[in-house]
Amino acid sequence: MRATLMYNAGDVRVEDVPEPTIQDPTDAIIRVTYACVCGSDLHPYHSLEETPEGRRMGHEAIGVVEQIGSDVAHLSVGDTVIVPFAWSDNTCSFCRDGITTSCVHGGFFDGAASATQAEKLLVPQADGTAVVIPAGTDEALMPSLLTLSDVYLTGYHAAHKGGVETGKTVVVIGDGAVGLSAVLASKQLGAETIILMGRHEDRTTLGREFGATHVVPERGEEGIAKVLEITGGEGAHVVLEAVGHMPAYEQAYGIVRPGGTISRVGVPQYEEAPVGFASLFGKNATLTGGPATVRAYLEAALPQVLDGTIDPGRVFDRELPLDEIAEAYRLMDSREALKVLIRP
């Protein structure tokens, strides 16, 4: 079968690899029908050191079940399923607490032996991981359903962890697909003022359609000053940071109001960050966020897509076949595309 491997920063190839086989009775194998490139895939695209064996890429997928292990009880061959970016048994104590990304039997597809930018995918803990899409679902909904494997529910996770609710002022830092999803989720949760910090007009236009009431293209101290001006000098109740780089974090603690919350879902490209008096402590600010617990939200979000309440698939602005995935990475890296849908 064909699969995507990254060998070095910027070196993405589609090559023949062995077909997956059932390893454990809790496994399933799916034929991938929809995948995509994630903004977080651009981090190794920029920084991966030479990897002679290649790193398997991709962690978002919809597919059709082709095989199931002997212990798989809730999936059937022929089901079309959404596969979140992390697998989980959905029964351990962490899963029961909703922290499915910390499942004791879990793991992450990206960079693993099984990854989604491929023709087929091995899904561990298939009963707890994959969610069946109702038979007969309109094919036109599949891009939006694909966002439930990661991008929309990562934006939702940011908003949920940040405590977004009616009456709150929210700032979203980052106009990528996750940031725009965070805008859409904040609107769904009742935020009245949603300030999107981004400077790519095609993206911020979609952000306004998703619910942003203001757009701030300025960055750094200028961006902080602009947000404070909009909020009457008080800052935001909730700041959703969807970038992952230090300047975005510095903006976040500059604009969060006293007693407010910063929720980070941009994968941090740093280990050390200010948390002292001038940043968080003096404001009594809360810092939260983390890898989105997609599986905990997926079943509630599914009907919202099916009935048209939300249309998060609008973040996809290009579609390419698997064999052209290197071009998909280039387009996203150069900001010529927001998010690229891949059809294996």
Side-chain angles (χ1 to χ4, degrees):
M1 73 163 190
R2 306 282 282 166
T4 303
L5 293 96
M6 188 180 293
Y7 285 90
N8 208 334
D11 185 1
V12 178
R13 311 175 201 173
V14 177
E15 298 183 345
D16 291 320
V17 300
E19 291 213 1
T21 58
I22 298 289
Q23 303 293 313
D24 296 298
T26 52
D27 291 346
I29 293 172
I30 72 166
R31 173 175 53 84
V32 178
T33 54
Y34 292 86
C36 55
V37 179
C38 181
S40 65
D41 293 333
L42 297 180
H43 294 312
Y45 188 73
H46 293 152
S47 62
L48 184 71
E49 296 182 357
E50 186 173 353
T51 306
E53 69 279 11
R55 169 178 165 163
R56 293 285 300 274
M57 297 299 298
H59 53 263
E60 301 154 278
I62 286 175
V64 178
V65 177
E66 289 199 335
Q67 297 179 51
I68 57 173
S70 58
D71 288 352
V72 175
H74 302 299
L75 302 179
S76 300
V77 172
D79 284 342
T80 299
V81 296
I82 302 168
V83 181
F85 67 82
W87 67 82
S88 55
D89 62 22
N90 217 23
T91 60
C92 79
S93 63
F94 296 124
C95 287
R96 292 196 302 271
D97 287 344
I99 313 300
T100 53
T101 50
S102 295
C103 176
V104 297
H105 298 120
F108 296 87
F109 286 104
D110 195 52
S114 186
T116 63
Q117 293 168 7
E119 292 176 328
K120 293 188 179 183
L121 175 70
L122 176 68
V123 181
Q125 300 296 330
D127 265 347
T129 301
V131 174
V132 176
I133 297 170
T137 293
D138 187 342
E139 198 73 18
L141 293 175
M142 293 301 171
S144 280
L145 292 169
L146 179 61
T147 70
L148 304 187
S149 69
D150 183 354
V151 62
Y152 173 68
L153 288 181
T154 291
Y156 177 85
H157 180 68
H160 173 71
K161 294 288 285 185
V164 174
E165 61 185 4
T166 301
K168 292 289 182 71
T169 294
V170 178
V171 173
V172 177
I173 300 175
D175 59 8
V178 170
L180 298 179
S181 295
V183 170
L184 180 58
S186 295
K187 180 68 173 178
Q188 291 297 308
L189 291 171
E192 294 178 6
T193 300
I194 303 173
I195 303 166
L196 174 60
M197 300 192 78
R199 57 183 184 175
H200 301 92
E201 189 172 344
D202 55 338
R203 301 180 178 197
T204 57
T205 296
L206 179 56
R208 287 190 182 275
E209 293 172 7
F210 275 176
T213 56
H214 302 75
V215 170
V216 173
E218 294 88 351
R219 294 183 176 182
E221 292 300 323
E222 289 185 13
I224 292 170
K226 185 65 175 178
V227 170
L228 292 177
E229 177 187 330
I230 293 169
T231 60
E234 294 182 350
H237 296 97
V238 185
V239 181
L240 309 181
E241 195 274 275
V243 178
H245 291 292
M246 182 59 74
Y249 176 72
E250 291 171 341
Q251 282 185 189
Y253 67 70
I255 59 182
V256 69
R257 66 183 278 150
T261 299
I262 298 169
S263 182
R264 299 181 307 162
V265 290
V267 180
Q269 302 304 295
Y270 52 85
E271 286 295 334
E272 297 180 358
V275 295
F277 201 97
S279 52
L280 300 185
F281 186 84
K283 287 186 172 181
N284 280 283
T286 297
L287 180 64
T288 187
T293 53
V294 166
R295 185 61 183 83
Y297 310 130
L298 212 160
E299 282 156 325
L302 182 59
Q304 292 185 298
V305 171
L306 297 178
D307 68 13
T309 299
I310 56 173
D311 185 13
R314 295 178 66 193
V315 298
F316 292 110
D317 55 354
R318 295 289 185 94
E319 178 180 323
L320 289 171
L322 178 64
D323 281 342
E324 296 180 27
I325 199 166
E327 174 67 0
Y329 276 80
R330 188 197 69 78
L331 287 168
M332 288 181 59
D333 185 49
S334 65
R335 302 297 191 270
E336 294 173 63
L338 171 58
K339 191 168 178 68
V340 182
L341 187 72
I342 300 297
R343 295 295 302 272

